[in-house]
């Protein structure tokens, strides 16, 4: 039974923040906030049109001030606070709604809007305002700051930690993710191979649905609190 699981890995995607008013990745027309993914989410885009890429992430960063965590973020934060076993929440999201709800055992595998990365020295730093192209790095002085977002073709963060957690998980739960973006889309197979039960909570069947032991369809704002209540009651 799920309730016997001691070690849990939760993967979240854009769908968990949808009810907070943040657009998912590939909405109607395959665009993200009106932009083709290739135009704002690749190292090539950053090299060829830094103005556009920086403006895009500046707008996403500014939009965080107008949204709040929803019931699903709050439920995961409650699981984090009250679950006595191991827990790792891995988010593909670049918003800060998990931490604003109070989650602590959290990793941002695709970076964070409120962080800057120096392309020259590799320093990461908290960044809350606009980031014009050519902003100087406070650590090394190079005019090389970029949004701390993992673009397509770049290596996601903390993969060692994530792989280790997947290898010892009793339960893997995927919430609000389309299963289209690797390596996250492959976590279910890794966890299952290592012996975990696997559960998907999503609005619709994802590309990887067949790999899960169980899929529950619905909005994260109702499915996640219900699942967390059951876990903590067990
Ligand atoms: P995705 O947009 O590809 O898929 C979102 C999934 O969530 C879909 O399967 C959809 O059916 C489901 N969904 C939509 N509304 C839901 C709801 N209310 N409850 C439950 N499920 C819901 O997103 P992804 O799989 O996370 O992959 C795309 C990438 O997009 C990630 O790498 C992420 O960095 C980036 N992204 C992040 C944000 C954010 O930080 N909030 C927003 C957009 C894109």
């Amino acid at each position: 039974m799920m309730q016997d699981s001691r070690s849990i890995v939760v993967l979240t995607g854009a769908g968990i923040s949808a009810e907070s008013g943040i657009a998912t990745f590939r909405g109607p027309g395959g665009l993200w906030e009106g932009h083709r993914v290739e135009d704002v989410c690749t190292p090539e885009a950053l090299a060829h049109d830094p103005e556009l890429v920086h403006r895009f992430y500046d707008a996403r960063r500014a939009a965080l001030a107008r949204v709040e965590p929803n019931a699903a973020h709050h439920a995961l934060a409650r699981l984090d606070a009250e679950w006595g076993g191991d827990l790792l929440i891995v988010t593909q999201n670049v918003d800060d709604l998990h931490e604003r709800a109070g989650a602590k055992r959290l990793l941002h595998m695709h970076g964070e809007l409120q962080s800057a990365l120096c392309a020259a020295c590799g320093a990461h730093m908290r960044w809350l305002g606009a980031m014009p192209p050519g902003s100087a790095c406070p650590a090394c002085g190079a005019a090389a700051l970029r949004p701390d977002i993992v673009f397509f073709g770049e290596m996601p963060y903390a993969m060692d930690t994530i792989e280790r957690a997947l290898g010892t998980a009793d339960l893997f739960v995927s919430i609000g993710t389309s299963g289209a973006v690797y390596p996250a889309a492959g976590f279910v197979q890794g966890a299952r191979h290592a012996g975990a039960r696997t559960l998907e909570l999503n609005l619709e069947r994802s590309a990887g649905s067949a790999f899960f032991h169980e899929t529950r369809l619905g909005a994260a704002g109702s499915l996640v609190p219900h699942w967390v209540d059951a876990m903590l009651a067990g």
Side-chain angles (χ1 to χ4, degrees):
M1 281 298 291
M2 299 266 180
Q3 281 79 354
D4 295 332
S5 309
R6 294 304 300 157
S7 179
I8 309 173
V9 176
V10 175
L11 172 69
T12 70
I16 199 170
S17 296
E19 289 159 82
S20 293
I22 301 182
T24 57
F25 203 32
R26 293 185 181 85
L31 300 178
W32 184 14
E33 297 278 2
H35 292 274
R36 293 191 319 152
V37 167
E38 317 76 272
D39 292 341
V40 291
C41 242
T42 61
E44 294 75 22
L46 182 64
H48 291 127
D49 197 346
E51 288 286 344
L52 172 73
V53 174
H54 278 256
R55 223 176 25 245
F56 178 77
Y57 290 102
D58 282 353
R60 306 278 76 73
R61 193 179 306 111
L64 293 181
R66 302 189 288 273
V67 297
E68 296 291 340
N70 64 53
H73 299 103
H74 287 297
L76 285 185
R78 194 158 58 82
L79 183 71
D80 188 353
E82 297 178 19
W83 183 251
D86 290 336
L87 171 72
L88 180 63
I89 302 169
V90 180
T91 188
Q92 299 168 88
N93 293 346
V94 294
D95 65 51
D96 64 341
L97 296 181
H98 281 302
E99 46 271 61
R100 273 206 258 157
K104 302 267 188 291
R105 293 183 268 180
L106 173 73
L107 281 179
H108 279 274
M109 66 177 288
H110 289 164
E112 295 172 63
L113 284 167
Q114 293 181 324
S115 176
L117 167 66
C118 177
C121 74
H124 301 263
M125 65 218 74
R126 191 157 163 78
W127 199 274
L128 301 180
M131 188 191 305
S135 295
C137 171
C140 74
L145 286 189
R146 54 165 275 188
D148 194 0
I149 303 288
V150 176
F151 291 142
F152 284 101
E154 296 180 332
M155 179 63 86
Y157 293 135
M159 285 305 293
D160 287 357
T161 306
I162 296 169
E163 296 290 354
R164 262 198 310 277
L166 290 170
T168 56
D170 300 310
L171 175 62
F172 172 76
V173 184
S174 170
I175 302 170
T177 176
S178 62
V181 179
Y182 279 83
F187 289 173
V188 58
Q189 287 150 285
R192 196 167 170 160
H193 184 72
R197 290 272 315 166
T198 54
L199 169 66
E200 172 178 55
L201 307 177
N202 210 49
L203 205 53
E204 60 197 2
R205 285 197 171 274
S206 68
S209 262
F211 296 117
F212 289 86
H213 290 101
E214 183 185 350
T215 293
R216 298 181 195 166
L217 299 182
S222 44
L223 289 184
V224 179
H226 187 261
W227 170 69
V228 168
D229 284 348
M231 290 301 295
L232 293 176

